[in-house]
Amino acid sequence: MRHDVIVVGGGPAGLSAALVLARACRTVLVCDGGRPRNAASQALHGFLTRDGTPPFELRRLAREELTRYDTVEIRDVDVRDASCEPDGFSITLATGEVYRSRKLMLATGVLDHVPDIDGIRPLYGRSVFHCPYCDGWELRGQPIAVYGKGDKGCGLSLELTGWSRDLVLLTDGPSELEDSQRERLHLHGIKVDERRVSRLVGTDGQLERVVFLAGPPLERRALFFTLGQSQHSELTSRLGCQFNDKGTVRTGPYETTHVPGLYVCGDASRAVQWAVVAAAEGAEAAYAINQSLVKEDLAAEAQSTTSPA
């Protein structure tokens, strides 16, 4: 069987796309490896009617809604490879199975580069974060550490002033800051600490202090980091996607790519990487996909009716 659409990735973008496509009477296969970017998060925020919902609960609810559509199949499996074909795409699952589709959507997300600091893992997603829009409100007015260097560290520190004015930028060695950036940070009351970080100390997921290789520790309630990110899946590269300076896929209107029939949506392709935005992009891409399929179907039907017997 050849599906109308294969969706790789079962997060908000992929499941939203599957819902819209199902309601357009399209056959859809969703493949989900089960390792979302927000797996460590306790709750997602900024998602209308679902603010504070655990990420896996949102995933469960979305999957439950999709069960009423018999044209949607969800497989909990990794996609090992994908390729373009003359009439669409083919994917190879980790099981060795091969599936084909007319259109392909990648909603595979990104991986955040988490600092390699002793003690960070039990705190990650609880009091150590990367996105102030997702987790800053709960920490408003609290003492916050920012972990990063150069432009990224400076930018995140200034961004966080909307949530707290008790900020310290930890550069874990030479800051790589320009003099103008130091001056700007100083102007807004943000301290810069270039000491080497030894470990993070906390209890039950709550950060309490940052310990350095030398000197007194720093009492903090949370830490936000910025070390960049990378594509979660190699499929975007294998299919020949183009990338922007941030490392995300360059997409056009309706999440189209320069590869005909290939769409990329969600965190893998955008600067605003929020669950609610990913869901919207998935729906938008699904609309574009169905419009394209309708045109192809009508063209094929017209050709068949006008062809000589």
Side-chain angles (χ1 to χ4, degrees):
M1 173 184 177
R2 186 174 71 140
H3 293 81
D4 289 322
V5 187
I6 291 176
V7 177
V8 184
L15 294 175
S16 177
L19 177 60
V20 173
L21 289 165
R23 294 189 58 79
C25 304
R26 296 298 176 183
T27 57
V28 184
L29 172 65
V30 179
C31 299
D32 183 12
R35 295 183 301 279
R37 179 187 187 186
N38 59 7
S41 177
Q42 301 302 294
L44 58 84
H45 295 285
F47 201 123
L48 196 63
T49 78
R50 290 292 180 263
D51 189 49
T53 301
F56 281 98
E57 175 64 7
L58 182 72
R59 178 172 174 265
R60 184 193 69 78
L61 291 169
R63 284 184 167 214
E64 186 177 278
E65 287 184 346
L66 286 170
T67 58
R68 56 185 290 220
Y69 299 97
D70 58 8
T71 59
V72 177
E73 178 185 2
I74 299 178
R75 296 284 306 272
D76 291 311
V77 63
D78 282 316
V79 175
R80 188 172 64 198
D81 200 4
S83 60
C84 301
E85 297 189 341
D87 59 348
F89 300 86
S90 69
I91 66 166
T92 303
L93 306 184
T95 59
E97 298 166 274
V98 176
Y99 286 87
R100 291 177 171 80
S101 64
R102 297 169 64 185
K103 308 293 181 182
L104 179 63
M105 176 188 293
L106 300 182
T108 46
V110 295
L111 289 173
D112 294 295
H113 299 165
V114 181
D116 185 15
I117 304 174
D118 186 29
I120 196 172
R121 286 297 173 178
L123 307 176
Y124 186 35
R126 295 173 179 265
S127 55
V128 172
F129 310 102
H130 66 270
C131 175
Y133 287 93
C134 300
D135 299 289
W137 189 86
E138 285 73 20
L139 298 161
R140 61 199 185 283
Q142 296 296 309
I144 296 173
V146 183
Y147 187 94
K149 296 177 182 287
D151 291 340
K152 286 187 173 64
C154 180
L156 181 57
S157 298
L158 293 170
E159 186 176 29
L160 276 161
T161 58
W163 288 270
S164 175
R165 287 291 178 160
D166 188 351
L167 301 168
V168 179
L169 172 59
L170 309 179
T171 61
D172 201 6
S175 69
E176 301 177 12
L177 292 168
E178 301 288 342
D179 290 341
S180 60
Q181 292 173 324
R182 285 183 177 275
E183 292 172 4
R184 193 176 180 196
L185 291 171
H186 177 73
L187 176 65
H188 296 289
I190 302 171
K191 300 175 183 177
V192 178
D193 194 327
E194 297 184 82
R195 290 181 292 167
R196 291 286 184 182
V197 176
S198 172
R199 66 184 187 279
L200 303 182
V201 177
T203 303
D204 295 330
Q206 176 58 62
L207 176 65
E208 296 169 353
R209 59 188 178 276
V210 181
V211 178
F212 302 90
L213 293 180
L218 176 67
E219 303 293 324
R220 297 283 95 177
R221 293 289 293 172
L223 180 145
F224 284 82
F225 64 86
T226 174
L227 293 182
Q229 57 187 215
S230 56
Q231 289 287 310
H232 188 279
S233 171
E234 295 180 357
L235 297 180
T236 50
S237 296
R238 292 182 184 178
L239 288 166
C241 291
Q242 298 176 344
F243 297 89
N244 56 36
D245 293 340
K246 190 177 179 180
T248 54
V249 176
R250 184 178 289 116
T251 53
Y254 300 103
E255 284 60 59
T256 55
T257 70
H258 78 288
V259 180
L262 176 64
Y263 299 73
V264 178
C265 57
D267 291 359
S269 67
R270 295 295 182 182
V272 181
Q273 297 174 334
W274 305 339
V276 67
V277 174
E281 289 175 1
E284 187 176 57
Y287 164 81
I289 289 172
N290 188 62
Q291 288 291 304
S292 179
L293 291 172
V294 167
K295 291 177 181 178
E296 291 175 9
D297 291 342
L298 292 177
E301 182 179 335
Q303 183 177 5
S304 65
T305 56
T306 57
S307 298

